[in-house]
Amino acid sequence: MPERRTVALVTLGCARNEVDSEELAGRLEADGWQLVEDAADADVAVVNTCGFVEAAKKDSVDALLEANDLKDHGRTQAVVAVGCMAERYGKELAEALPEADGVLGFDDYADISDRLQTILSGGIHAAHTPRDRRKLLPISPAERQETAATVALPGHGPADLPEGVAPASGPRAPLRRRLDGSAVASVKLASGCDRRCSFCAIPSFRGSFISRRPSDVLNETRWLAEQGVKEIMLVSENNTSYGKDLGDIRLLESLLPELAEVDGVERVRVSYLQPAEMRPGLIDVLTSTPKVAPYFDLSFQHSAPGVLRAMRRFGDTDRFLELLDTIRGKAPEAGVRSNFIVGFPGETESDLAELERFLNGARLDAIGVFGYSDEEGTEAATYDDKLDEDVVAERLAHISRLAEELVSQRAEERVGETVRVLVESVDEEEGVYGRAAHQAPETDGQVLLTSGVGLSVGRMVEAKVVATEGVDLVAEPLTGSLACSEEAGR
């Protein structure tokens, strides 16, 4: 019997890419490939690249080069680039990086097994030719679902699977194979974006906004719960638009309670929300539904009106603060995170001061700060009033220091609170770590539990916050909660 072909998936970038990698893994395993964790043990290393900002692109190139080095002293025979950077640059990436044996776009995902087999056999598959994916779907959102089946949508894989790809979950299982045993998993709610922010190139290579069917989201969540997942994180480029192409812009409000009722799921989290699209009904559901985290990942980007208009965005400091007051009026413990760009073309000292005013009043739990840099193909790249790189770097350092101070202060405000912590790692030397409802995976800090008695990965435990370490919390498990956890583990 011939030895099975082996493949390793190396994933960079956001949670959306992680979902795409698990879809690719499902397709490959269904076609007889053996999945391995270490690229050095694989015949083919597939690098799922990120094409968002320069730093991410560099990380992607470094990962491809590192995988290529394995061809000299390991089992690896081929290195293939997929993901956003491959989709965005295609042939250009292939010419600039001959070390990659293949550069595949989203249109290749359905035939990923054949593509890899061709490359592994020494054949050549023409590098992907980039195109504006916004033009693949109708302009009218209401007409997109009819066309969706003809367009490659990573993470929207068909629900009906070949036998053996995944255990049955209700009537159907997803086209997906988990690549780790984590207690948290992301689920694609939608893909693409209809917004035209002047600094962002994502819509050009991810396409126009299109929602997944609620039944597919529910079935995938049920399947993940059967795999031991306790927390579901809903991801897309813009979750607040969910349902607009299905005829119901309030569809998320009805879907969230259904997801929270799935057996085995302890927490549902919604990522990436647009402040300009927040609705009172959505705020109500996010702050009052059991097992739905009162968590608001709000894309503010700035708060000075002039800068926001140049970004093709809406709002200002006072309106943003009013939104936060509304959220905390309903759920005082709600978690809020956001990202900001400083040094945007035309940003003045007074604009920077306005951003500082917002940050000082917002009480955010987590803050990401980025210095502006041109992104190819964006409107902002054509602006004339760009700031010197030294000025951008200085403002980035200044706001980053402020952000670090403010999130530490916000963490200190939580001392005395009772939080529900999802245990994610248990180590005799390093201790027991998890995350509370206001902390998303990898971005928002974590909780160190003072006792690990009766706890294991995947357990949900109530604990009282007793101290902080920067943005991280130190919490003492409540006795009753530990007892329940021990009982659940028997």
Side-chain angles (χ1 to χ4, degrees):
M1 184 174 180
E3 186 176 6
R4 292 182 71 187
R5 303 160 295 177
T6 56
V7 60
L9 288 122
V10 179
T11 307
L12 294 96
C14 65
R16 299 186 292 275
N17 258 15
E18 294 172 4
V19 175
D20 295 349
S21 285
E22 294 195 349
E23 180 188 302
L24 291 174
R27 291 183 183 276
L28 290 166
E29 189 171 65
D31 204 45
W33 291 77
Q34 179 181 349
L35 299 167
V36 296
E37 292 185 13
D38 193 338
D41 298 328
D43 297 319
V44 183
V46 177
V47 180
N48 193 346
T49 61
C50 179
F52 181 40
V53 293
E54 287 303 318
K57 295 175 198 174
K58 182 181 182 303
D59 288 344
S60 295
V61 170
D62 288 346
L64 287 163
L65 292 174
E66 183 177 338
N68 183 70
D69 289 341
L70 297 174
K71 290 192 289 188
D72 295 330
H73 49 76
R75 173 171 177 160
T76 308
Q77 301 173 52
V79 175
V80 176
V82 298
C84 291
M85 191 175 180
E87 173 65 35
R88 183 176 181 184
Y89 295 104
K91 291 182 177 179
E92 183 182 341
L93 176 61
E95 292 170 0
L97 199 70
E99 291 86 353
D101 299 288
V103 176
L104 307 180
F106 298 151
D107 294 332
D108 292 305
Y109 282 21
D111 301 308
I112 187 67
S113 179
D114 290 342
R115 299 289 186 265
L116 297 191
Q117 185 58 57
T118 295
I119 294 168
L120 186 60
S121 300
I124 297 175
H125 181 74
H128 162 69
T129 299
R131 53 179 171 167
D132 188 340
R133 298 193 73 85
R134 290 172 292 191
K135 298 179 180 179
L136 302 183
L137 291 168
I139 294 176
S140 169
E143 299 175 4
R144 290 177 188 166
Q145 290 291 328
E146 297 178 4
T147 315
T150 66
V151 178
L153 297 169
H156 290 230
D160 294 312
L161 294 180
E163 185 178 352
V165 175
S169 175
R172 298 183 295 183
L175 182 57
R176 180 170 182 170
R177 198 273 200 185
R178 296 219 67 204
L179 293 174
D180 63 39
S182 170
V184 60
S186 297
V187 173
K188 278 274 185 82
L189 194 61
S191 288
C193 186
D194 288 341
R195 302 183 72 87
R196 294 295 179 262
C197 300
S198 63
F199 55 83
C200 184
I202 289 176
S204 66
F205 57 85
R206 277 290 184 179
S208 299
F209 184 89
I210 186 162
S211 305
R212 291 184 73 195
R213 296 279 178 178
S215 57
D216 286 342
V217 176
L218 275 165
N219 282 331
E220 187 167 341
T221 297
R222 293 187 184 111
W223 177 78
L224 287 167
E226 289 178 0
Q227 310 307 300
V229 170
K230 299 300 181 183
E231 178 175 321
I232 296 295
M233 186 163 75
L234 300 177
V235 299
S236 77
E237 280 73 22
N238 178 10
N239 282 330
T240 31
S241 284
Y242 180 68
K244 74 175 187 178
D245 53 319
L246 294 171
D248 185 1
I249 191 60
R250 296 177 178 82
L251 194 55
L252 184 56
E253 284 94 306
S254 58
L255 177 60
L256 283 171
E258 292 186 71
L259 292 171
E261 291 176 0
V262 171
D263 287 344
V265 170
E266 293 290 339
R267 179 183 291 156
V268 178
R269 183 184 305 277
V270 183
S271 68
Y272 213 82
L273 303 166
Q274 287 290 344
E277 297 181 29
M278 289 301 295
R279 305 175 292 276
L282 180 55
I283 295 174
D284 286 343
V285 171
L286 287 170
T287 54
S288 64
T289 307
K291 294 189 178 181
V292 172
Y295 176 81
F296 294 81
D297 177 11
L298 293 163
S299 176
F300 289 121
Q301 302 298 345
H302 212 284
S303 72
V307 175
L308 287 168
R309 302 306 172 268
M311 290 179 170
R312 304 297 181 204
R313 297 179 65 83
F314 306 94
D316 56 47
T317 296
D318 292 332
R319 272 189 278 184
F320 289 164
L321 291 176
E322 287 174 7
L323 172 60
L324 295 178
D325 285 344
T326 298
I327 290 169
R328 291 183 175 125
K330 296 177 180 294
E333 78 287 0
V336 186
R337 84 167 322 276
S338 191
N339 294 323
F340 299 89
I341 299 173
V342 297
F344 194 79
E347 182 189 63
T348 64
E349 290 286 353
S350 61
D351 291 331
L352 195 69
E354 187 68 2
L355 176 58
E356 289 188 52
R357 182 169 80 89
F358 172 69
L359 292 173
N360 278 302
R363 296 169 57 229
L364 302 178
D365 292 276
I367 301 171
V369 188
F370 301 88
Y372 173 82
S373 62
D374 286 339
E375 273 298 309
E376 181 184 350
T378 63
E379 179 185 356
T382 68
Y383 289 175
D384 293 327
D385 49 352
K386 295 190 177 70
L387 280 62
D388 290 341
E389 289 184 6
D390 290 346
V391 174
V392 175
E394 181 181 340
R395 293 184 180 183
L396 173 61
H398 172 66
I399 296 298
S400 295
R401 286 193 298 270
L402 175 63
E404 187 174 350
E405 294 175 6
L406 292 173
V407 296
S408 294
Q409 290 174 16
R410 176 64 182 131
E412 290 172 1
E413 292 178 16
R414 293 192 179 275
V415 173
E417 282 187 11
T418 297
V419 293
R420 294 188 76 230
V421 180
L422 176 64
V423 177
E424 293 190 312
S425 66
V426 178
D427 186 277
E428 289 185 3
E429 295 184 2
E430 297 184 4
V432 179
Y433 283 89
R435 289 178 299 101
H438 69 280
Q439 297 168 318
E442 300 181 6
T443 60
D444 301 344
Q446 56 189 349
V447 179
L448 169 63
L449 294 172
T450 59
S451 172
V453 177
L455 295 181
S456 59
V457 172
R459 292 280 186 258
M460 190 73 78
V461 58
E462 288 194 350
K464 182 178 180 180
V465 180
V466 295
T468 65
E469 295 178 358
V471 70
D472 298 328
L473 306 180
V474 179
E476 180 180 333
L478 301 180
T479 304
S481 180
L482 281 175
C484 291
S485 181
E486 286 180 333
E487 187 65 32
R490 293 195 180 104

